[in-house]
Amino acid sequence: SVCVPPPRLSALRRSALCRPRPGAAPRRAMATKPLVAVGQVTSTPDKERNFAACAGLVREAAQRGACLVFLPEVFDYIGCNPAQTLGLAEGLDGPLMGRYAELARDCGVWLSLGGFHERGRDWETTQRIYNCHVLLDSMGQRVAAYRKTHLCDVELEGRVSMKESSFTNAGTEIVAPVSTPAGKLGLSICYDVRFPELSLALQRAGAEILTYPSAFTVHTGSAHWEVLLRARAIENQCYVVAAAQTGQNHEQRTSYGHSLVVDPWGAVVAQCHEGPGLCYAEIDLEYLHRVRREIPVQSHRRHDLYGTIGL
């Protein structure tokens, strides 16, 4: 449950690190519960440097037996300004996503790529991008893509100024939870954590794990990060997995970090602190269903009443 630094890698392609030695027992053969790995990185405007850092974490997680690796929002890069952010963006069929698909295949793991700067089909007309959470299976196939529906337009006087909507299109739909080797995964991104309606909709659709890849600022993270994530876990009786950006991304931007995993009771069962690295957690679905049986809040909901105040 502590942050593990990524392995040192040469500049050469090292995908062979992901493959088991000839004659070795298959990974996860002795595991009774699926293991997930949560990555914490410091993205910069340098896409090649960022890929090397993320790939190192994925390879390390694969060697330790993780079946699903989570990377944070803007894992691909963090631009210094909107013009640079737009200029570096790619489509989902571009070369960077192709490299991540190859990485997933080589390592035999699923990848939650938590916030990709996507040039969508409307790029030529809008000149705006999408903040897209991409889920790849262990064959490198894209099985889901969720475009962030709640954009972070926040003004904390003298501390934080963000206007994501100035260069990003809002997504228009919630993506149904996806069956993964760890459980049914509901996709969200960062600022979405402040809207419990989204997580409740995903839980009603069958989600067992909610994921919030993020790039929280230090000001908002120190006040709200853990309490929001624990609240989403408790009210939905789901695991919550939140990979995060950490440290100084560039001269104008510092991220809070503290990637974590919360269980369905609301306990933090794995957490990173400062600096890039990984934390790990087992997903115990039997425990999840026990929590739901013992406190059956979903069946106690009064949908006949909600939304009727004052009518």
Side-chain angles (χ1 to χ4, degrees), residues 187-266:
L187 304 182
S188 301
I189 303 173
C190 197
Y191 192 58
D192 287 332
V193 75
R194 295 185 182 273
F195 301 89
E197 299 89 345
L198 175 56
S199 62
L200 289 167
L202 289 168
Q203 196 276 347
R204 286 197 297 272
E208 297 164 320
I209 306 167
L210 302 171
T211 183
Y212 294 97
S214 297
F216 259 61
T217 68
V218 173
H219 289 291
T220 56
S222 58
H224 299 155
W225 173 247
E226 183 176 316
V227 68
L228 282 170
L229 294 167
R230 294 182 69 191
R232 298 295 83 83
I234 293 166
E235 68 200 5
N236 291 286
Q237 299 173 317
C238 285
Y239 280 91
V240 166
V241 179
Q245 291 284 334
T246 184
Q248 187 163 357
N249 306 104
H250 52 69
E251 289 184 1
Q252 293 83 39
R253 165 83 198 197
T254 303
S255 297
Y256 179 63
H258 296 80
S259 300
L260 55 78
V261 180
V262 187
D263 75 12
W265 188 252

Side-chain angles (χ1 to χ4, degrees), residues 103-148:
L103 181 67
R105 287 194 301 272
D106 284 349
C107 293
V109 296
W110 286 56
L111 294 180
S112 164
L113 303 174
F116 178 74
H117 295 88
E118 179 202 1
R119 286 192 181 185
R121 294 178 180 176
D122 57 0
W123 165 253
E124 294 299 330
T125 56
T126 68
Q127 293 294 293
R128 293 154 68 91
I129 59 176
Y130 292 90
N131 190 341
C132 186
H133 185 163
V134 180
L135 185 65
L136 303 179
D137 68 15
S138 57
M139 297 300 293
Q141 297 297 311
R142 186 169 75 244
V143 295
Y146 163 76
R147 292 165 181 90
K148 190 177 183 182

